[in-house]
Amino acid sequence: MKEILSAIERAAIRIKHEIDTKDIEYSQQMNSTGDTQLQLDIKCDLVVEEEFTKAETINTIVSEEQEHSLVMNKDAKYFVAFDPLDGSSLIDVNLSVGSIFGIYDGSFSVKNLVAACYVVYGPRTELVFAHDGEVKFYLLQDGVFVFVKNIVLKEKGKLNAPGGTQQNWPPYHKAMVDGLFQEGYRLRYSGGMVPDLHQILLKGGGLFSYPSTSDKPEGKLRMLYEALPFAFIFKTAGGDQTDGKNDLLTMEAKHIHDTTPCFFGSKYEIARVKDVYAGN
Ligand code: P6P
């Protein structure tokens, strides 16, 4: 596992450099879910693949930017799914973006998800790694990721990050989101999954939601390399997660780019989601 974390750290340092120095023009290509790829998306995908090639314990990788999985060492232990540059469309307005990694032992089955990691590229470059019951927070300082602290969520938070197009939310979802605001929750939503969830984790908790909507009935966020890694991180940090009715960490992806509605947060807020969704 240490070899994989080291590969992620090397990739993160290179990606940070690419973000700071590279043009952000769109390519002529689309990824597996129809997003037009930035040149930067393609470059950052290559960076992660190059660093992972040096990790002998990686069997197979899945990238948001690649249609198919790629076998690297057919007898190796770990299967890694990643989004190399999530929220890249925010770079041209200088908002924070991130990389997300799900590390699976033996196959991409959700029961084999054993670690999860993300990197936030913002005013600072920060890395969070969940494994063996702990969520560890690191800060990049002079080219080295330095451990800062363990992340533990409170029972109840105060931030509300409601994703998706509001006019396409189910009415009961809108009532739930509005209800939290009426209880004094603060709106914190940038449109970047990684910084939005990082803020909730570091500011003590709250709710991030990306529900099933009329335009995206299966949700927008991908299971293997977005929803499940964050579900693992929030659960490990003492919070909770759901697709509205089920524990995300019991849900198997049928296809490597499957999406799911997803909610992540402190226990109080996730209990509220389950209560509202159970009745609808
Ligand atoms: P919406 C970025 O494109 C992304 O995949 C996630 O990072 C983010 O949480 C979501 O989409 C935002 O989607 O529909 O709220 O703009």
Side-chain angles (χ1 to χ4, degrees):
M1 187 63 75
K2 181 129 187 56
E3 178 188 55
I4 295 175
L5 180 54
S6 301
I8 291 172
E9 289 175 344
R10 294 195 305 271
I13 291 166
R14 290 179 59 192
I15 288 172
K16 173 62 180 162
H17 177 73
E18 294 296 337
I19 290 170
D20 290 347
T21 60
K22 279 286 176 246
D23 64 84
I24 47 177
E25 297 308 314
Y26 280 96
S27 71
Q28 303 304 314
Q29 296 166 231
M30 275 203 222
N31 67 12
S32 54
T33 40
D35 304 330
T36 304
Q37 292 172 309
L38 285 171
Q39 303 289 359
L40 205 50
D41 288 319
I42 296 165
K43 176 65 182 167
C44 293
D45 182 55
L46 283 176
V47 164
V48 176
E49 193 175 316
E50 282 169 9
E51 294 305 332
F52 279 1
T53 304
K54 303 168 191 168
E56 292 168 0
T57 55
I58 295 180
N59 184 304
T60 300
I61 60 174
V62 160
S63 168
E64 184 198 44
E65 303 305 335
Q66 299 285 344
E67 179 67 32
H68 305 293
S69 60
L70 175 66
V71 176
M72 305 193 105
N73 305 288
K74 68 178 180 56
D75 299 321
K77 182 177 177 62
Y78 293 114
F79 290 63
V80 186
F82 60 94
D83 183 353
L85 194 59
D86 183 79
S88 55
S89 60
L90 299 171
I91 290 176
D92 62 354
V93 292
N94 204 26
L95 287 177
S96 296
V97 293
S99 304
I100 313 166
F101 305 84
I103 299 151
Y104 302 76
D105 183 344
S107 78
F108 284 116
S109 166
V110 68
K111 64 180 182 301
N112 293 339
L113 181 57
V114 293
C117 180
Y118 65 83
V119 183
V120 193
Y121 310 98
R124 312 195 309 179
T125 300
E126 300 178 342
L127 181 149
V128 170
F129 187 71
H131 180 231
D132 273 350
E134 292 187 298
V135 181
K136 292 186 174 298
F137 169 44
Y138 299 85
L139 172 65
L140 182 61
Q141 288 189 300
D142 305 319
V144 177
F145 282 98
V146 178
F147 174 72
V148 176
K149 64 177 180 180
N150 277 23
I151 296 175
V152 179
L153 277 169
K154 296 190 186 95
E155 276 294 306
K156 181 180 186 302
K158 51 185 182 303
L159 303 183
N160 191 4
T165 307
Q166 292 203 25
Q167 69 181 28
N168 299 328
W169 288 350
Y172 55 86
H173 179 83
K174 175 155 176 51
M176 181 188 75
V177 170
D178 291 345
L180 289 173
F181 286 130
Q182 281 146 27
E183 288 178 32
Y185 281 71
R186 313 291 297 274
L187 172 61
R188 291 292 183 271
Y189 192 77
S190 73
M193 180 182 197
V194 175
D196 289 342
L197 284 162
H198 188 56
Q199 181 168 200
I200 289 172
L201 282 165
L202 287 187
K203 297 286 188 184
L207 178 66
F208 174 100
S209 51
Y210 205 108
S212 168
T213 56
S214 54
D215 60 329
K216 293 182 169 61
E218 298 305 317
K220 174 183 185 182
L221 302 177
R222 276 60 59 134
M223 292 179 73
L224 285 186
Y225 42 81
E226 291 175 337
L228 296 183
F230 272 108
F232 185 90
I233 291 166
F234 270 75
K235 192 81 175 170
T236 306
D240 206 351
Q241 39 69 41
T242 180
D243 73 342
K245 296 187 185 288
N246 308 291
D247 180 329
L248 287 164
L249 296 173
T250 64
M251 295 173 58
E252 293 292 352
K254 294 180 181 61
H255 181 274
I256 58 173
H257 297 298
D258 275 355
T259 63
T260 179
C262 50
F263 303 79
F264 314 96
S266 307
K267 285 187 173 137
Y268 172 88
E269 290 85 354
I270 297 298
R272 171 72 63 82
V273 172
K274 289 178 178 175
D275 183 48
V276 166
Y277 273 68
N280 287 282

